[in-house]
Amino acid sequence: MGAEAEAPATEYFIIRPKKIRLIDILSLFILRKSLTSYKFVESSGTAKDGLRADWVTALTLLIMKVLDKIKVPLKWTGIVVEFIFNLFALNGGIRIIWRIITGKLVIPKRDSADFRSMIALIDGRQDLYKNNSLLHYFPLMEPQGGFDDINLFDITAMAAKIAYENPAYIENTVTNHWKMHFVGFYDCWNKFLEEKTTQAFIFCNKAEDADLIVLSFRGTEPFNAQDWSTDVDLSTLLAGKLGLLHLGFLKAIGLQNETNFILGFPKEIEMNADKPFAYYILRQELRNLLAKHKNAKIIVTGHSLGGALSAVFPALLSYHNQSDILNSMHSVMNYGQPRVGDAIFKSYVNVLMRVKYQRMVYRYDIVPRIPFDLPPLSNFQHCGKCIYFDGWYKGKSVDEVPNPNYFLDPQYVPRMYLSAWGDLFRAFFIGYTAGKDFKEGIVSILYRLTGLVLPGIACHSPRDYVNSVRLATIENTLFV
C-alpha cells in the first residue's frame, strides 16, 4: 500500500470510448446533461464537475466511437492497400504481368528495407535536400557546434517523415542516403492498450565525436484508428507544475497510472526489456550517447502524434530535473503537432523550460487544430513558436494559425475547399516548376483527393511539410 496510499490526490478526466453509446451522444446533443453523469466518463471529485457538454463535445465523442468501431477493419484495409501498392512498386508497375509470366514476381515483406508505408508511398523521397532554404538561417534555430552545414529544418522534417517506416527502411535511409550514424529503433509499450503503440528512432551525424543527436517519434498512422482517436481525445490528467496534459499522449510515452501523475511518472522505473516505456528507454539512450559524444546537441522531432510526443518528452525531462540531458538539448522542431496541454503547460514550456521550441503548420492541416481550444471543457493550447506555411509555401511567424478550431468558423469553409483544390491542381505541375525532386506520383495525387471531401486531411501529409522547408520564402517578421 505505502507509496500509493501516500500519493496526493490529483485531477483527472477520462473518456472511455468503448462505453460510449449512441443514446448517450444523442442525449448530449438534446439534453446537454452534465458530462460526469455518464458512465463513459471517469473523473476525480472536482474535474469537470457539473460541466454540460455542447454539440462540439458530442461530435468529438461520436468521432471517437466511430473510430473505436472501425479500428480492426481500418487496420486490415491498411495492410491490404500497402501490400498492393508495394507489390506494384517492387515489380515495375504494369510490368508486374511480365514478372508473373516469367516467375520473377517480388513479394513485399513488411520488415524489408524496400517496403514502404502509406506515408512513403505518398512521398518516397529519402535523400536530404542539396539546396539550403533560408530557413536554415532562422536566428532561433541557428546551428551550434560542428553541424552548421546541416539544414536543421530539412533533416528534422525528413526524420519525422521516415519515422513512419520499418526499422530496416529507416536504418538504410540514415546510413546510405544521409551518410550518418543510425543508433537504434525503439518499439515501446503502452500499458493501458497492452501493445506496442509508440515508435521512435535515434541517429547521430557521426559515429564518433558527433555534434548532433536527433530523436524522432513516429506520428499518427493513416490506417490506425487508435492514433486518430488519441489525437481528438479530451481526456486529461493534472501533471503538477506542468498543468493539465492530454492523457492519451502521456499513455503513449510511458504513463504508469492514469489517475495520479506522481505515480504515473516516477523518476525511475524498472522495465521489462521486452516491453520498454518510451520516456524511460529514450532518456537512458540519450544519456548514454551524451557520455560518448560530450559536445553533441539534441534535437527532438516528430510529425502529428509524433510532434505531440516530442513536446511532452522534454517537459517530462524538466519535471524530473534531468539537467544533464536538457543542457544539451538544442531544440524541439515538430510538424503538424496536435495540442498537448493547457495554458499552464504553455507557460511552463515557453518561459520555464528554456528549450527552443519550433512547430510548423501547413495551411489547413486538421491535426494542429485538435483537440479544440474551447473552454471550459477543452482547454488545450499550443506552445512554442509557430511557423505557418500557406499554399505557396510562404512562411510566416504567427501566434495562432487561421481557423484554429478547424470547422467551427463557417467563414473558413469555402477557403478550405478552395485550398484543397489548389493543392491538387499544383500536384500535377510542381515537378516542372520546382524540379523533379518535387514531382508527385499517383498515390500522392489520390491522397490529395481526400481533401476534396474533408479539407485538412490532405494538408497533414509530411510531403507538404518537406516541401515547405525546402521551397519556403520567408517574411521578414521571422527574423525579428
Side-chain angles (χ1 to χ4, degrees):
M1 282 196 55
E4 233 171 288
E6 294 170 8
T10 190
E11 181 180 328
Y12 62 90
F13 177 79
I14 306 172
I15 296 173
R16 306 289 187 193
K18 291 186 181 301
K19 294 184 179 181
I20 300 174
R21 302 173 302 170
L22 289 179
I23 190 68
D24 295 328
I25 297 171
L26 287 173
S27 70
L28 283 172
F29 273 114
I30 299 169
L31 302 177
R32 299 188 64 188
K33 292 169 57 180
S34 171
L35 265 177
T36 53
S37 67
Y38 289 90
K39 293 182 179 180
F40 62 81
V41 171
E42 296 177 22
S43 67
S44 55
T46 57
K48 318 291 184 186
D49 192 27
L51 187 63
R52 299 185 182 279
D54 54 20
W55 70 272
V56 177
T57 307
L59 181 60
T60 301
L61 296 175
L62 177 60
I63 293 170
M64 292 179 69
K65 184 64 178 178
V66 170
L67 288 170
D68 183 63
K69 289 295 185 182
I70 67 171
K71 181 167 53 178
V72 174
L74 186 63
K75 175 184 176 180
W76 281 103
T77 299
I79 290 173
V80 172
V81 169
E82 288 181 347
F83 178 85
I84 292 172
F85 276 124
N86 275 277
L87 183 65
F88 276 87
L90 293 173
N91 291 282
I94 194 65
R95 285 175 289 183
I96 190 173
I97 298 172
W98 178 248
R99 285 183 173 267
I100 293 173
I101 294 171
T102 58
K104 295 181 179 179
L105 186 70
V106 178
I107 303 298
K109 296 179 180 179
R110 294 191 68 87
D111 58 353
S112 67
D114 56 9
F115 187 92
R116 292 182 284 172
S117 75
M118 182 54 65
I119 298 299
L121 289 165
I122 292 170
D123 182 2
R125 289 174 291 188
Q126 289 178 273
D127 294 324
L128 299 176
Y129 199 41
K130 303 301 181 185
N131 298 326
N132 276 342
S133 162
L134 283 175
L135 285 175
H136 181 49
Y137 302 104
F138 181 43
L140 290 181
M141 293 293 120
E142 186 177 352
Q144 301 175 15
F147 56 94
D148 55 306
D149 60 332
I150 297 174
N151 185 327
L152 298 184
F153 281 82
D154 189 51
I155 200 168
T156 53
M158 288 294 288
K161 183 176 82 75
I162 71 164
Y164 288 94
E165 308 309 313
N166 66 61
Y169 182 103
I170 295 172
E171 183 173 6
N172 176 56
T173 301
V174 171
T175 304
N176 298 319
H177 290 263
W178 300 355
K179 307 301 180 186
M180 295 186 181
H181 175 61
F182 177 76
V183 176
F185 178 88
Y186 308 88
D187 197 9
C188 302
W189 187 252
N190 186 318
K191 177 179 178 179
F192 302 93
L193 296 178
E194 296 186 327
E195 58 181 298
K196 291 182 176 179
T197 64
T198 303
Q199 292 75 34
F201 75 98
I202 297 176
F203 67 95
C204 304
N205 66 324
K206 296 181 291 186
E208 301 295 333
D209 297 322
D211 309 293
L212 177 65
I213 300 169
V214 178
L215 164 60
S216 179
F217 287 95
R218 179 178 293 178
T220 307
E221 298 181 81
F223 294 103
N224 190 320
Q226 182 62 53
D227 282 357
W228 287 103
S229 183
T230 296
D231 285 343
V232 302
D233 195 357
L234 300 176
S235 302
T236 55
L237 176 63
L238 183 61
K241 61 185 179 182
L242 299 182
L244 278 173
L245 294 182
H246 188 292
L247 184 60
F249 300 149
L250 292 176
K251 290 179 179 180
I253 207 166
L255 186 71
Q256 302 297 299
N257 185 306
E258 62 182 349
T259 62
N260 191 296
F261 185 76
I262 294 176
L263 298 176
F265 273 111
K267 191 170 184 177
E268 305 294 339
I269 191 174
E270 291 185 9
M271 288 188 297
N272 184 328
D274 295 327
K275 298 178 179 179
F277 297 108
Y279 169 67
Y280 296 99
I281 189 69
L282 295 171
R283 184 182 69 178
Q284 186 57 51
E285 199 64 61
L286 291 178
R287 184 171 286 127
N288 294 342
L289 287 169
L290 289 173
K292 180 179 180 182
H293 310 288
K294 299 186 183 301
N295 297 316
K297 294 295 180 180
I298 300 168
I299 294 180
V300 187
T301 189
H303 169 263
S304 193
L305 171 60
L309 300 183
S310 76
V312 173
F313 180 74
L316 290 174
L317 291 176
S318 179
Y319 178 82
H320 287 139
N321 298 313
Q322 304 295 290
S323 57
D324 56 336
I325 300 175
L326 286 171
N327 290 343
S328 295
M329 190 164 289
H330 179 275
S331 55
V332 173
M333 300 174 68
N334 61 46
Y335 302 84
Q337 174 214 310
R339 296 183 177 104
V340 169
D342 65 359
I344 294 174
F345 180 72
K346 177 180 179 179
S347 297
Y348 185 88
V349 171
N350 291 351
V351 179
L352 299 177
M353 203 165 74
R354 297 198 181 105
V355 172
K356 299 172 187 175
Y357 190 115
Q358 191 73 50
R359 61 184 184 89
M360 274 55 72
V361 177
Y362 175 73
R363 220 170 191 180
Y364 290 110
D365 183 349
I366 184 174
V367 174
R369 293 167 168 86
I370 56 175
F372 302 120
D373 179 13
L374 294 171
L377 176 62
S378 183
N379 297 296
F380 295 97
Q381 296 187 18
H382 272 303
C383 49
K385 190 171 183 65
C386 177
I387 293 183
Y388 174 74
F389 296 98
D390 67 14
W392 301 105
Y393 302 122
K394 182 182 294 182
K396 61 181 178 180
S397 179
V398 296
D399 293 324
E400 185 54 274
V401 298
N403 193 22
N405 285 305
Y406 190 54
F407 59 79
L408 303 187
D409 190 341
Q411 69 169 314
Y412 283 101
V413 173
R415 303 185 206 178
M416 292 163 66
Y417 279 101
L418 284 173
S419 75
W421 278 104
D423 285 348
L424 177 62
F425 180 77
R426 187 191 58 216
F428 290 98
F429 301 100
I430 193 170
Y432 300 101
T433 59
K436 64 180 182 179
D437 187 57
F438 300 91
K439 183 179 179 180
E440 298 196 24
I442 185 64
V443 180
S444 180
I445 292 171
L446 288 173
Y447 179 72
R448 290 198 184 279
L449 289 173
T450 64
L452 306 184
V453 179
L454 186 61
I457 293 292
C459 289
H460 190 56
S461 169
R463 169 179 281 278
D464 280 316
Y465 284 100
V466 173
N467 285 356
S468 293
V469 300
R470 293 183 173 186
L471 297 175
T473 57
I474 310 171
E475 291 186 359
N476 290 333
T477 52
L478 276 179
F479 295 93
V480 175

